[in-house]
Amino acid sequence: MTQTLSPVLAENIRATNAHDLEALLATFAEDALILDDSREIIGTGAIRGFLAREIVGDHVTYRVTEVVNAPGVTIIRATTEGDFDRTGLPDPVILTHYFSVINGKISAQYTALLRESEY
């Protein structure tokens, strides 16, 4: 079932696309967890560094193509652009983000890369 984004996830996407580090960081809970490219980033201090380097710093933008709300998780699929290293990546780069939200803040985010054969 495709649905609309919750306010915190809509703000997360808006802040990402605007390269607004402070607004983006504000969408995460203090003890949030990001799993990205086999790395665990835990807590807002570590998340700030990750976002500054690899999201805001690389001018990442998302064009959301699908939103699915399931029990306890929202799945967002997005075509991803930016100044990141594309070596070995498919074209287009499509990321699937799995978000858990508690009390209006992102408590966990897991990101997976879809390969062409998967979509």
Side-chain angles (χ1 to χ4, degrees), residues 58-102:
D58 283 346
H59 303 100
V60 169
T61 60
Y62 299 130
R63 185 177 52 80
V64 174
T65 59
E66 184 177 15
V67 176
V68 178
N69 291 307
V73 66
T74 299
I75 303 161
I76 299 173
R77 186 160 291 128
T79 303
T80 305
E81 297 292 336
D83 298 331
F84 51 89
D85 181 7
R86 294 173 181 267
T87 304
L89 297 177
D91 187 21
V93 174
I94 299 174
L95 296 178
T96 302
H97 305 275
Y98 302 84
F99 289 97
S100 293
V101 175
I102 298 174

Side-chain angles (χ1 to χ4, degrees), residues 98-112:
Y98 302 84
F99 289 97
S100 293
V101 175
I102 298 174
N103 297 324
K105 296 282 189 173
I106 297 167
S107 61
Q109 175 185 348
Y110 170 73
T111 301

Side-chain angles (χ1 to χ4, degrees), residues 16-58:
T16 296
N17 290 344
H19 311 118
D20 184 341
L21 177 60
E22 295 307 316
L24 183 55
L25 187 63
T27 65
F28 288 91
E30 188 173 316
D31 60 350
L33 162 70
I34 295 176
L35 295 174
D36 182 81
D37 194 27
S38 302
R39 296 172 294 163
E40 293 181 349
I41 302 113
I42 302 171
T44 53
I47 290 171
R48 174 187 290 280
F50 167 76
L51 296 174
R53 282 186 315 275
E54 298 187 33
I55 304 300
V56 174
D58 283 346

